[in-house]
Amino acid sequence: MRTYTKEKLELFKKVNKNRARLLINCADQPGIVAAVSKFLFEHDANILESSQYSTNPQASGEFFMRIEFEIENLQENIKKLEEDFKEIENKFQMEATFKYVDNVKKMAIFVSKEPHCLLELLWEWQSGDLMADIKLVVSNHEVARELVEPLGIPFHYIPANKDIRKQVEEQQIKLLKEHEIDLIVLARYMQILTPEFVEEFKNQIINIHHSFLPAFIGARPYERAYERGVKLIGATSHYVTNALDEGPIIEQDISRVDHRDNAEAMKKIGQTVERSVLARAVKWHLEDRIIVYGNKTIVF
Amino acid sequence: MRTYTKEKLELFKKVNKNRARLLINCADQPGIVAAVSKFLFEHDANILESSQYSTNPQASGEFFMRIEFEIENLQENIKKLEEDFKEIENKFQMEATFKYVDNVKKMAIFVSKEPHCLLELLWEWQSGDLMADIKLVVSNHEVARELVEPLGIPFHYIPANKDIRKQVEEQQIKLLKEHEIDLIVLARYMQILTPEFVEEFKNQIINIHHSFLPAFIGARPYERAYERGVKLIGATSHYVTNALDEGPIIEQDISRVDHRDNAEAMKKIGQTVERSVLARAVKWHLEDRIIVYGNKTIVF
Amino acid sequence: MRTYTKEKLELFKKVNKNRARLLINCADQPGIVAAVSKFLFEHDANILESSQYSTNPQASGEFFMRIEFEIENLQENIKKLEEDFKEIENKFQMEATFKYVDNVKKMAIFVSKEPHCLLELLWEWQSGDLMADIKLVVSNHEVARELVEPLGIPFHYIPANKDIRKQVEEQQIKLLKEHEIDLIVLARYMQILTPEFVEEFKNQIINIHHSFLPAFIGARPYERAYERGVKLIGATSHYVTNALDEGPIIEQDISRVDHRDNAEAMKKIGQTVERSVLARAVKWHLEDRIIVYGNKTIVF
Amino acid sequence: MRTYTKEKLELFKKVNKNRARLLINCADQPGIVAAVSKFLFEHDANILESSQYSTNPQASGEFFMRIEFEIENLQENIKKLEEDFKEIENKFQMEATFKYVDNVKKMAIFVSKEPHCLLELLWEWQSGDLMADIKLVVSNHEVARELVEPLGIPFHYIPANKDIRKQVEEQQIKLLKEHEIDLIVLARYMQILTPEFVEEFKNQIINIHHSFLPAFIGARPYERAYERGVKLIGATSHYVTNALDEGPIIEQDISRVDHRDNAEAMKKIGQTVERSVLARAVKWHLEDRIIVYGNKTIVF
């Protein structure tokens, strides 16, 4: 890792050593906010950001909340904090998670031949805008090695095709486990993952699809967009599930094209959309802003 | 018609009495532009705007051109102009059309219950931004009558459902023929047209679909967009063909939504997109900017 | 008022008879959210939406909050609710306001010759998307009368120029007071208001300026944009203060232009931006989403 | 230069060895297009793209044209082509330039501390999307060295401040001359250039300014945008003239911000806009798409 990036990361951890995020999910019912905010107040927390959402506040909706806060000497108080909160969790039958900001997520990037999404992530990371600990890059091609290694990130070339999928994934999973990876980003990785792999990292794999889903599910979306004569092309970032291109959508964006743009031109234009859409999705995940609910995401 | 709108229209005709548009379509080959521009030069035409496009300029592409020009005393010279151009047409095996700007297109608007797209068209028309001669509004509901009649536009209430489709369309076609309609705009008209009707007005029917096609073809796109958890909703304006929602796309646009927007909210947000997308498509058609080629449009 | 619009308005009031909004502004300090949410919980309020913001949560920031909630039989409980809240208000030295949703705001629209912004507001209002009680339209020209009166809204023609400003404003203020106007929208009203007028309706006058402020403050922004050769034109909606075009900005948007667009074309393109920017700003004001703080707005 | 990039560049030159662009500028008058297209036809040119524009086609406008074409064995025919065209040039009193696509422009990038715009250019260049021969990077800081040198581009550290401006520029100009630089890109270079330097490279210096000009001319635009409470921030790419931030605008774009974004957040958001705006402007310049006319640009 370059000195510049390393220093950014160290500084980030230091500045955020007392900062945490509380994510809540339960059936909507009176008193939740009152209970939670009273709890934080009594634990001397300073609330920095707070968002809530109910799928149906007037009836039996599902309630979601994300609070970012600071507590002095957080490190020493984590255990007690979590224990004390159990009472509220039980009372409201919550699913609640505390996330600690200085506990920077460990990330792996998978890529095939086209490096634009990888480059965007590396670049945001270098400039300190994407706070992850990038542990490794995995690719079924050698092409990206020269982009990755100079930054001090290990590059693992693992040839892959559908006949050797099982072995390949075993090798990948081993690597991911060794590095205790929290997040796998498929930055234009052109191999399909097995249900076992996906199950192993549920809501921890983010993919970028090169169309505004659900249009052009599957292969060759730019060619098909060109054939259909669309005036917009897009990209979609989503969590990977075992339904191809049908996982919970995190972010989408589009760019305008016209009759002069053939499939090749659309691809070029689309790459700019792909890389910014993926970078936003990854950033939100790293900031614990995304809650998956059913096949949708809530992005706070 | 209100005095204000009438005056705008009369002024428009007067100002443009010498203005014409030449639309060309043929196999790409050397010398087309040279021949056409020499022709216009020799006929003392003043070129105001010129656009060209070839599907594949380096090989055997299809060539398209739109030239807007002025010629003094155009009215008296139309016949000779068109006759003289025959030589070039034949030489290059062109499909060529002259359009005369003061020959304002006669338009009919079809609408069902939701008036937002109709209102947008009427409003652009009132302000002189949409130069058409709106001859009539047809609806299978009475709801829009009070919006249309105060503007001096005849409103025809023709109840419709799939059982009486044939009779309904006969009545509609009779009206459209009587008024020599050039363009039919389906401004959220929720009835399917028969192949016979569509054939009768080929490339003369513009529809607005409330999704970014080809996503959510068919009914209830906002509900389905909500269920899928998309982060963008859109609208598509296209010429009507007999393949449902698959005609040549003229224009598309989108708007951003998030987890807080339910299907109802998406519908509201989408209406703003629908109306602007449809208005742009109609305007381009009225200005003879659109060439249909295969299942695509070239918009100059 | 047309039956259609009237019914929408009545329905809106009925549906929202138990709905209120609480707007809070005070120095940031521990315990605010806990106190407020406990209060609402104890008063059996059902929280529908809640947003908060602190200018500087880590130090001595200013705190803002907007909560939308429902309480059964709100009408009978208003008085007690407001009295009970006094304790919290005092404790935290808050500026707090309760707004009752069925108490629809009384609105006046001022317009000069160009009707596009007026038309947009009337249209949103007709379709039930802009919940205001439009009491009157004031204009220094007769041009808009035929757009306004058919909708059952009184139209007041008050000729104006800088020599008779005082008398004109006296007449206007009299009208506004008579109708207990809450919000004045300057929908392209091309007269400057006196400091006295502005003072009388502080943070109650919304203007639309036809540039992306602070670019092109003052007159003829499109001409100046054209001369400067910009590639974007915009519009800005802001509260009126006595510093010309320098009041708190509520909303801005832009549209792309290119070298082919002269000042006249920019004006046409800009009108579409103006009308949507103004409509959004007015809607947010009507929904009590805007808090003015210094010369800025917080839009929840 | 990496093998990958080098190969892209060589391939580009080879593919385009017969491709040229003709840029024309003269008083609008009948017969220009006819003469030019006849000329190209007679020289067996295959027209690939053609755009024209007149500031005022109906009166005494200024006429601009850009034609991209191919001629077999262009290299051997260049001289004759240019000589033959002289007749047309003289007849219409044209300013006409032939540009040869395989004659890839030599580019220098100037940067100070913030590397985001530099990185974007390097990245587009690496992926073969920005066809320039980047001869050198000049900086008044050492920070970017580690980004530049691994790509095989010489990095020149030339400390600068206003007291030694003359000497610094002499050193820079010497370098630029040695490398026969066609285009200087100021990728967030925070030094003001002297009139002499600017004069030396007229319409050959592209700058990126971090606001949607003419808003926030001069220093600290994000801070001032924050203070003004704008809802959009932007970036502007323009040719450098001796009027600070007032040169011909090539491209602009914006991003939405809200009350939660302080000056620091705006700066982060703005960087994404800056880099894409600059990259587009540079690309258009490299493709000879920009004609400067007065203080404006025509971008074909």
Side-chain angles (χ1 to χ4, degrees):
Chain A
M1 207 186 299
R2 282 181 183 153
T3 322
Y4 179 77
T5 314
K6 198 165 189 164
E7 280 170 2
K8 290 247 176 188
L9 201 58
E10 289 313 315
L11 180 64
F12 176 82
K13 285 187 186 183
K14 205 175 142 191
V15 165
N16 291 291
K17 71 176 198 302
N18 288 327
R19 190 179 280 224
R21 293 156 191 158
L22 171 56
L23 298 172
I24 288 168
N25 178 0
C26 61
D28 200 356
Q29 55 202 291
I32 308 174
V33 181
V36 173
S37 48
K38 182 162 170 277
F39 172 88
L40 289 171
F41 174 58
E42 287 171 357
H43 285 77
D44 291 323
N46 184 19
I47 298 178
L48 303 167
E49 200 184 319
S50 171
S51 313
Q52 62 193 75
Y53 165 68
S54 173
T55 55
N56 189 353
Q58 286 160 296
S60 56
E62 187 75 13
F63 178 85
F64 303 91
M65 192 169 197
R66 178 191 184 273
I67 304 182
E68 189 154 337
F69 60 93
E70 281 184 345
I71 287 181
E72 257 187 80
N73 304 317
L74 178 64
Q75 306 300 323
E76 295 102 85
N77 293 313
I78 283 179
K79 224 176 147 181
K80 186 170 178 339
L81 194 74
E82 299 205 8
E83 267 172 24
D84 290 359
F85 196 71
K86 285 262 157 63
E87 196 190 320
I88 293 176
E89 261 180 272
N90 292 335
K91 184 179 170 193
F92 294 98
Q93 305 254 6
M94 280 175 182
E95 215 171 296
T97 326
F98 285 87
K99 302 273 184 178
Y100 303 97
V101 179
D102 74 341
N103 187 10
V104 169
K105 289 190 179 51
K106 296 178 191 71
M107 184 166 135
I109 305 175
F110 282 41
V111 67
S112 290
K113 277 187 180 167
E114 293 186 40
H116 55 284
C117 287
L118 170 68
L119 271 166
E120 180 80 8
L121 294 172
L122 293 178
W123 174 53
E124 296 258 350
W125 175 74
Q126 276 183 271
S127 23
D129 290 335
L130 193 142
M131 277 306 163
D133 191 355
I134 304 183
K135 289 291 189 190
L136 70 162
V137 171
V138 171
S139 183
N140 54 337
H141 294 277
E142 278 285 9
V143 125
R145 184 185 293 276
E146 67 174 350
L147 303 168
V148 171
E149 291 188 338
L151 303 176
I153 302 170
F155 178 86
H156 296 266
Y157 168 54
I158 306 179
N161 63 57
K162 65 181 191 323
D163 299 329
I164 54 168
R165 190 154 290 159
K166 267 255 138 9
Q167 303 95 292
V168 167
E169 288 194 352
E170 271 164 29
Q171 202 179 339
Q172 291 169 343
I173 290 173
K174 192 162 165 287
L175 270 171
L176 297 168
K177 294 285 175 195
E178 265 173 39
H179 289 93
E180 303 176 308
I181 294 302
D182 299 301
L183 173 64
I184 300 159
V185 180
L186 307 183
R188 301 298 308 271
Y189 181 65
M190 309 309 278
Q191 296 286 318
I192 289 173
L193 304 174
T194 65
E196 292 72 34
F197 191 105
V198 172
E199 196 52 45
E200 188 78 42
F201 299 96
K202 211 189 156 185
N203 294 340
Q204 291 181 297
I205 313 173
I206 294 180
N207 184 42
I208 179 76
H209 183 79
H210 38 321
S211 85
F212 49 89
L213 289 174
F216 310 120
I217 286 181
R220 303 174 48 258
Y222 292 123
E223 284 80 356
R224 288 152 65 208
Y226 173 67
E227 280 153 29
R228 180 61 188 92
V230 297
K231 303 295 184 186
L232 304 175
I233 55 168
T236 305
S237 189
H238 62 95
Y239 286 111
V240 174
T241 64
N242 285 313
L244 181 65
D245 298 336
E246 303 213 332
I249 293 172
I250 305 168
E251 173 64 334
Q252 304 188 284
D253 211 345
I254 57 99
S255 190
R256 201 160 270 281
V257 293
D258 69 26
H259 60 266
R260 286 179 300 256
D261 299 305
N262 58 19
E264 191 56 32
M266 285 186 178
K267 199 176 147 181
K268 285 266 178 218
I269 295 167
Q271 288 180 346
T272 301
V273 185
E274 290 168 37
R275 57 186 176 112
S276 64
V277 164
L278 180 61
R280 285 203 292 274
V282 169
K283 211 175 293 183
W284 295 337
H285 180 97
L286 294 174
E287 292 173 6
D288 305 305
R289 296 193 172 280
I290 314 175
I291 301 179
V292 176
Y293 175 62
N295 202 43
K296 295 183 191 177
T297 62
I298 290 137
V299 181
F300 279 131
Chain B
M1 206 187 297
R2 280 180 185 156
T3 323
Y4 179 77
T5 313
K6 198 164 190 166
E7 280 170 3
K8 289 249 176 185
L9 201 58
E10 289 313 313
L11 180 64
F12 177 82
K13 286 187 184 182
K14 204 175 142 192
V15 166
N16 291 291
K17 70 178 199 301
N18 289 327
R19 191 179 278 225
R21 295 158 189 155
L22 172 55
L23 298 173
I24 288 167
N25 178 2
C26 61
D28 200 357
Q29 55 201 292
I32 308 175
V33 181
V36 172
S37 50
K38 183 164 170 277
F39 172 87
L40 288 172
F41 175 57
E42 287 171 356
H43 285 76
D44 293 321
N46 185 18
I47 298 178
L48 302 167
E49 200 185 319
S50 170
S51 313
Q52 62 193 76
Y53 166 69
S54 172
T55 55
N56 189 355
Q58 286 160 297
S60 56
E62 187 76 12
F63 179 84
F64 302 91
M65 193 170 197
R66 177 190 184 274
I67 304 182
E68 188 155 337
F69 61 92
E70 280 184 343
I71 288 181
E72 260 186 76
N73 303 318
L74 178 64
Q75 305 301 323
E76 294 103 85
N77 293 312
I78 283 179
K79 224 175 146 179
K80 188 170 176 338
L81 194 77
E82 298 204 9
E83 266 172 25
D84 290 359
F85 196 71
K86 285 260 154 68
E87 196 190 319
I88 293 176
E89 262 181 88
N90 292 335
K91 186 178 170 196
F92 294 98
Q93 305 254 7
M94 278 173 184
E95 215 172 297
T97 325
F98 286 87
K99 301 273 185 179
Y100 303 98
V101 179
D102 73 340
N103 188 9
V104 170
K105 288 189 182 49
K106 296 177 190 71
M107 185 167 136
I109 306 175
F110 282 40
V111 68
S112 289
K113 275 186 182 168
E114 293 185 39
H116 55 286
C117 288
L118 169 69
L119 271 166
E120 180 79 8
L121 295 172
L122 293 179
W123 174 54
E124 297 257 349
W125 175 73
Q126 275 183 273
S127 23
D129 290 336
L130 193 142
M131 277 305 164
D133 190 354
I134 304 184
K135 289 292 189 188
L136 69 163
V137 171
V138 171
S139 184
N140 55 336
H141 293 278
E142 279 286 7
V143 125
R145 184 184 293 278
E146 67 173 350
L147 303 169
V148 170
E149 291 189 337
L151 303 176
I153 302 171
F155 178 86
H156 296 265
Y157 169 54
I158 307 180
N161 64 58
K162 66 180 192 320
D163 299 328
I164 55 168
R165 190 156 289 161
K166 267 254 139 11
Q167 302 95 294
V168 166
E169 288 195 351
E170 271 165 28
Q171 201 179 341
Q172 290 170 343
I173 290 175
K174 192 161 165 285
L175 269 172
L176 297 168
K177 293 286 175 194
E178 263 172 41
H179 289 92
E180 303 177 307
I181 293 303
D182 298 301
L183 173 63
I184 300 160
V185 180
L186 307 183
R188 300 300 308 272
Y189 182 66
M190 308 309 279
Q191 296 286 317
I192 289 173
L193 304 174
T194 66
E196 292 72 33
F197 190 106
V198 171
E199 195 51 46
E200 188 77 41
F201 299 96
K202 211 190 156 184
N203 295 339
Q204 291 182 297
I205 313 174
I206 294 179
N207 184 41
I208 179 75
H209 184 79
H210 38 320
S211 86
F212 48 90
L213 290 174
F216 309 120
I217 287 181
R220 304 173 47 256
Y222 291 123
E223 283 79 356
R224 288 152 65 208
Y226 172 68
E227 279 154 29
R228 179 62 189 92
V230 297
K231 302 295 185 185
L232 304 174
I233 54 167
T236 303
S237 188
H238 62 95
Y239 286 111
V240 175
T241 63
N242 285 313
L244 181 64
D245 298 334
E246 303 211 332
I249 293 172
I250 304 169
E251 172 64 335
Q252 302 188 286
D253 211 343
I254 57 97
S255 189
R256 201 159 269 282
V257 293
D258 70 25
H259 60 266
R260 286 180 299 256
D261 299 306
N262 58 19
E264 191 57 31
M266 286 187 177
K267 199 175 148 182
K268 286 266 178 217
I269 295 168
Q271 289 180 345
T272 301
V273 186
E274 291 169 35
R275 56 186 177 114
S276 65
V277 164
L278 180 61
R280 285 203 291 276
V282 168
K283 212 176 290 185
W284 295 339
H285 181 97
L286 294 175
E287 293 174 6
D288 304 305
R289 296 194 172 279
I290 314 175
I291 301 180
V292 176
Y293 175 64
N295 203 42
K296 294 183 192 176
T297 61
I298 290 136
V299 181
F300 280 131
Chain C
M1 208 187 296
R2 282 181 183 152
T3 322
Y4 179 77
T5 313
K6 198 164 191 167
E7 280 170 2
K8 288 247 177 188
L9 201 59
E10 289 312 315
L11 180 65
F12 177 82
K13 286 187 184 182
K14 204 175 141 189
V15 166
N16 290 291
K17 70 177 198 303
N18 289 327
R19 191 178 280 225
R21 294 156 190 157
L22 172 56
L23 298 172
I24 287 167
N25 178 1
C26 60
D28 201 357
Q29 54 200 293
I32 308 175
V33 181
V36 173
S37 49
K38 182 162 170 278
F39 172 87
L40 288 172
F41 175 58
E42 288 171 355
H43 285 76
D44 292 322
N46 184 19
I47 297 178
L48 303 167
E49 201 185 317
S50 170
S51 313
Q52 61 193 76
Y53 166 68
S54 172
T55 55
N56 190 354
Q58 285 160 296
S60 55
E62 186 76 12
F63 179 83
F64 303 90
M65 192 169 198
R66 177 191 184 275
I67 304 182
E68 189 155 336
F69 61 92
E70 280 183 344
I71 287 182
E72 258 186 79
N73 304 317
L74 178 65
Q75 305 301 323
E76 294 102 87
N77 292 313
I78 282 180
K79 225 175 146 180
K80 186 169 177 342
L81 194 76
E82 299 204 7
E83 267 172 24
D84 289 0
F85 197 71
K86 286 261 155 67
E87 196 189 319
I88 294 177
E89 263 181 270
N90 292 336
K91 185 178 170 196
F92 294 98
Q93 306 254 4
M94 281 175 182
E95 216 172 296
T97 326
F98 285 87
K99 302 273 185 179
Y100 302 97
V101 179
D102 73 341
N103 187 10
V104 170
K105 288 189 182 50
K106 295 177 191 71
M107 184 167 137
I109 306 175
F110 282 41
V111 67
S112 290
K113 276 186 181 168
E114 293 186 39
H116 55 285
C117 288
L118 169 68
L119 271 167
E120 180 79 8
L121 296 172
L122 293 179
W123 174 53
E124 296 258 349
W125 176 73
Q126 275 184 272
S127 23
D129 291 336
L130 193 142
M131 277 305 162
D133 190 354
I134 304 184
K135 288 292 188 189
L136 70 162
V137 170
V138 171
S139 183
N140 54 336
H141 293 277
E142 278 285 10
V143 123
R145 184 184 293 277
E146 67 173 350
L147 303 168
V148 171
E149 290 188 338
L151 302 176
I153 302 170
F155 178 85
H156 295 265
Y157 169 52
I158 307 180
N161 64 57
K162 65 180 191 321
D163 299 329
I164 54 168
R165 190 155 290 160
K166 268 254 140 6
Q167 301 96 293
V168 166
E169 288 195 351
E170 271 165 31
Q171 202 178 339
Q172 290 169 343
I173 290 174
K174 191 159 166 290
L175 270 171
L176 298 167
K177 292 286 174 193
E178 262 172 40
H179 289 91
E180 302 177 308
I181 293 304
D182 298 302
L183 172 63
I184 300 160
V185 180
L186 307 184
R188 300 302 306 272
Y189 181 66
M190 309 309 278
Q191 296 285 318
I192 288 174
L193 303 174
T194 66
E196 292 73 32
F197 190 105
V198 172
E199 195 52 46
E200 187 77 42
F201 299 96
K202 211 189 157 186
N203 294 340
Q204 290 182 297
I205 313 174
I206 294 180
N207 184 42
I208 179 75
H209 184 79
H210 38 320
S211 86
F212 48 90
L213 290 174
F216 309 120
I217 286 181
R220 304 172 47 258
Y222 291 123
E223 283 80 354
R224 287 152 65 208
Y226 172 68
E227 280 154 28
R228 180 61 189 93
V230 297
K231 302 294 184 186
L232 304 175
I233 54 167
T236 304
S237 188
H238 63 94
Y239 285 111
V240 175
T241 62
N242 285 313
L244 182 65
D245 298 336
E246 303 212 332
I249 293 172
I250 304 168
E251 173 64 335
Q252 302 189 286
D253 211 345
I254 56 98
S255 190
R256 202 160 267 282
V257 292
D258 69 26
H259 61 266
R260 285 180 300 255
D261 299 306
N262 58 20
E264 190 56 32
M266 286 187 178
K267 199 176 147 181
K268 286 265 178 220
I269 295 167
Q271 288 180 346
T272 301
V273 186
E274 291 168 36
R275 57 187 177 112
S276 64
V277 164
L278 179 61
R280 285 203 291 274
V282 168
K283 212 176 293 185
W284 293 339
H285 180 98
L286 294 175
E287 293 173 7
D288 305 303
R289 296 195 172 280
I290 315 175
I291 300 180
V292 176
Y293 175 63
N295 202 42
K296 295 182 191 178
T297 62
I298 290 136
V299 181
F300 279 131
Chain D
M1 208 187 298
R2 281 180 184 155
T3 323
Y4 180 77
T5 314
K6 198 164 191 166
E7 280 169 3
K8 289 247 175 186
L9 201 58
E10 289 313 314
L11 181 64
F12 177 83
K13 285 187 186 182
K14 205 175 143 192
V15 166
N16 291 290
K17 71 177 198 303
N18 288 327
R19 190 179 279 224
R21 293 157 190 158
L22 171 56
L23 297 172
I24 288 167
N25 177 0
C26 61
D28 200 358
Q29 55 202 290
I32 308 174
V33 182
V36 173
S37 50
K38 183 163 170 277
F39 172 88
L40 289 171
F41 175 58
E42 287 172 356
H43 284 75
D44 292 323
N46 185 18
I47 298 177
L48 302 166
E49 199 185 318
S50 170
S51 312
Q52 62 193 76
Y53 165 68
S54 172
T55 55
N56 189 353
Q58 286 160 296
S60 56
E62 187 75 13
F63 178 84
F64 303 90
M65 193 169 196
R66 177 191 184 275
I67 304 182
E68 188 155 339
F69 61 91
E70 281 184 345
I71 287 181
E72 258 186 77
N73 304 317
L74 178 64
Q75 305 301 323
E76 294 103 88
N77 293 313
I78 281 179
K79 223 176 147 178
K80 188 171 177 334
L81 194 76
E82 298 205 8
E83 267 172 25
D84 289 359
F85 197 71
K86 284 263 155 61
E87 196 190 319
I88 292 176
E89 261 181 270
N90 292 335
K91 185 177 168 194
F92 293 98
Q93 306 254 6
M94 278 174 184
E95 215 171 297
T97 326
F98 285 88
K99 302 273 186 180
Y100 303 98
V101 179
D102 74 340
N103 188 11
V104 169
K105 288 187 181 52
K106 296 176 189 73
M107 186 167 134
I109 305 175
F110 282 40
V111 68
S112 290
K113 277 187 180 166
E114 294 185 39
H116 55 285
C117 288
L118 170 69
L119 272 167
E120 179 79 8
L121 295 173
L122 293 177
W123 174 53
E124 296 257 350
W125 175 74
Q126 276 184 272
S127 25
D129 290 335
L130 192 143
M131 277 304 164
D133 190 354
I134 304 184
K135 289 291 188 190
L136 70 162
V137 171
V138 171
S139 184
N140 54 337
H141 294 277
E142 278 286 8
V143 127
R145 184 184 293 276
E146 68 173 349
L147 304 169
V148 170
E149 291 188 337
L151 303 177
I153 303 170
F155 179 86
H156 295 266
Y157 169 54
I158 306 180
N161 64 57
K162 65 181 194 320
D163 299 328
I164 55 168
R165 190 155 289 160
K166 268 254 141 3
Q167 303 94 293
V168 166
E169 289 195 351
E170 271 165 29
Q171 202 179 340
Q172 290 170 342
I173 290 174
K174 192 162 165 286
L175 270 171
L176 297 168
K177 294 285 175 195
E178 263 172 41
H179 289 92
E180 302 176 307
I181 293 303
D182 298 302
L183 173 64
I184 301 159
V185 180
L186 307 183
R188 301 298 309 271
Y189 182 64
M190 309 309 279
Q191 296 286 318
I192 288 173
L193 304 174
T194 66
E196 291 72 34
F197 190 106
V198 172
E199 194 53 44
E200 188 77 41
F201 299 96
K202 210 190 158 184
N203 294 340
Q204 291 182 298
I205 313 173
I206 294 179
N207 184 43
I208 179 75
H209 183 79
H210 39 321
S211 85
F212 49 89
L213 289 173
F216 309 120
I217 286 181
R220 305 175 46 260
Y222 291 123
E223 283 81 355
R224 288 153 64 210
Y226 173 67
E227 280 154 29
R228 180 61 188 91
V230 297
K231 302 295 184 184
L232 305 174
I233 55 168
T236 304
S237 188
H238 62 94
Y239 287 111
V240 174
T241 63
N242 285 313
L244 181 65
D245 298 335
E246 302 212 334
I249 293 172
I250 304 168
E251 172 65 333
Q252 302 188 286
D253 211 345
I254 57 97
S255 191
R256 201 160 271 281
V257 293
D258 69 26
H259 60 266
R260 286 180 299 255
D261 300 306
N262 60 17
E264 191 56 32
M266 286 186 178
K267 198 176 149 182
K268 285 266 177 218
I269 295 167
Q271 288 180 346
T272 301
V273 185
E274 290 170 36
R275 57 187 177 113
S276 65
V277 164
L278 180 62
R280 285 203 292 275
V282 169
K283 210 176 292 184
W284 294 338
H285 180 97
L286 295 174
E287 293 173 6
D288 305 304
R289 296 194 172 279
I290 314 175
I291 300 179
V292 175
Y293 175 63
N295 202 41
K296 295 183 191 177
T297 62
I298 289 137
V299 181
F300 279 130

